[in-house]
Amino acid sequence: MKDLKNPIETEKQEWRKQQNQQRLKTWLTIFSPICLLLIWQFLSQSGLIDARFFPPPTAIISTFIDLLTSGELFDHINISLFRIFAGFLLGVIPGIILGLCMGLYAPIRHFLSPLIMALMPIPTLALLPIILIIFGIGEVSKVVTIAGSVFFPVVINTVAGVISIDSIYLDVAKNYGAGRKDFFLKIALPGSLPVMLEGIQMGQAIALLTIVAAEMMGAQSGIGYMIWTSYSAFLLKEMFVGLILISFFGYIFSLLLRALQRKLLPWR
């Protein structure tokens, strides 16, 4: 019995060790932003940094509450989130479909690769004047701008994911008479998921960067618009509220995508 207990006890100790390590990581994740805010508060109140340019976090929180209770902040958040989600989906879905086609079929890949490689280095914001001419200054132009930024990392990572699939799976599928739909949904899509999701994660970060810049240039609402107008009027507390909101949404979106990745790829 003693010999049987040892492996069980060892397993329990290993599990407790992993749990403690996970708790430590969680506390470190929580502590790092709190530590930054405390240092910022101290430096601002002590006068070591200019409170006019770097107001203390307590003042920023007070401004955030005022904007929240007035309802102004909800309007900016709602329109920005709509633009982000619409542009993200408009970039991700075609990127995945085209990436799967390029990965599975070499002629399509060789035909489209030069175009994608030529267009990818051009910042989407540099194309904003052309986008505005084509789609106008309404919501469509903002959504298209975000979609263009998200599209390229998704399509490139999807192609790389499909190409990295071991050819033996494709050969087995051919031998068993798999149809085109089976190649897409049962081989290419699940096989490319690990690399594809990294591209989607990258696209999410780029979407947040793009929405701020797009709203600064050609919008009358949104978080980016609020940041720019607050800076122009030297309302730096409102500006920092917008900046912190963008970083908060970026963190939340990243956590959601990581959770999706763990759900779809439990072995990683």
Side-chain angles (χ1 to χ4, degrees):
M1 289 295 293
K2 187 176 180 180
D3 292 334
L4 290 174
K5 283 185 177 180
N6 283 337
I8 297 173
E9 191 62 34
T10 303
E11 189 69 27
K12 286 182 178 179
Q13 290 176 358
E14 184 65 27
W15 180 81
R16 291 193 197 100
K17 183 179 177 181
Q18 290 176 358
Q19 290 295 104
N20 290 333
Q21 289 176 347
Q22 188 61 40
R23 289 193 196 98
L24 177 61
K25 291 176 183 177
T26 303
W27 280 111
L28 287 173
T29 302
I30 296 171
F31 179 72
S32 60
I34 294 174
C35 183
L36 174 62
L37 291 174
L38 290 174
I39 293 171
W40 183 356
Q41 181 76 22
F42 169 76
L43 292 176
S44 183
Q45 287 192 328
S46 62
L48 293 174
I49 59 175
D50 196 332
R52 293 174 300 172
F53 303 115
F54 297 97
T58 49
I60 296 171
I61 292 171
S62 177
T63 303
F64 170 76
I65 293 172
D66 291 340
L67 290 171
L68 206 60
T69 52
S70 69
E72 178 186 352
L73 195 59
F74 280 114
D75 295 334
H76 292 304
I77 291 174
N78 287 338
I79 191 63
S80 288
L81 288 179
F82 165 75
R83 291 165 180 163
I84 290 168
F85 283 123
F88 183 74
L89 292 175
L90 189 62
V92 166
I93 295 173
I96 291 174
I97 295 172
L98 188 60
L100 292 174
C101 292
M102 291 175 65
L104 283 174
Y105 305 109
I108 298 177
R109 181 166 66 251
H110 292 306
F111 179 75
L112 293 177
S113 288
L115 299 176
I116 291 175
M117 292 299 111
L119 293 172
M120 185 182 66
I122 302 175
T124 309
L125 294 176
L127 299 173
L128 188 56
I130 298 174
I131 294 173
L132 289 173
I133 290 171
I134 297 173
F135 297 102
I137 59 173
E139 295 303 315
V140 177
S141 60
K142 281 84 170 174
V143 172
V144 170
T145 303
I146 296 168
S149 299
V150 173
F151 172 79
F152 290 104
V154 173
V155 70
I156 289 170
N157 278 52
T158 303
V159 173
V162 176
I163 292 175
S164 67
I165 297 173
D166 196 328
S167 60
I168 190 171
Y169 296 110
L170 299 174
D171 294 336
V172 169
K174 287 178 183 177
N175 291 337
Y176 279 89
R180 190 170 298 176
K181 181 181 176 182
D182 295 321
F183 272 104
F184 268 89
L185 299 180
K186 296 183 179 179
I187 299 174
L189 184 59
S192 63
L193 266 180
V195 185
M196 182 200 300
L197 287 173
E198 293 300 324
I200 293 174
Q201 180 83 15
M202 192 186 307
Q204 169 266 135
I206 295 173
L208 287 169
L209 293 172
T210 307
I211 187 61
V212 173
E215 288 178 342
M216 283 181 177
M217 293 181 185
Q220 298 298 317
S221 60
I223 298 175
Y225 171 78
M226 184 182 78
I227 292 171
W228 179 250
T229 53
S230 300
Y231 162 76
S232 302
F234 206 71
L235 302 172
L236 297 189
K237 294 174 188 175
E238 286 82 353
M239 183 191 76
F240 276 107
V241 169
L243 292 172
I244 292 170
L245 277 175
I246 288 293
S247 64
F248 171 75
F249 285 128
Y251 181 66
I252 293 299
F253 295 158
S254 180
L255 288 180
L256 291 174
L257 285 174
R258 291 298 177 192
L260 178 64
Q261 188 176 37
R262 287 194 296 271
K263 186 74 174 176
L264 295 176
L265 308 170
W267 62 89
R268 288 177 68 86

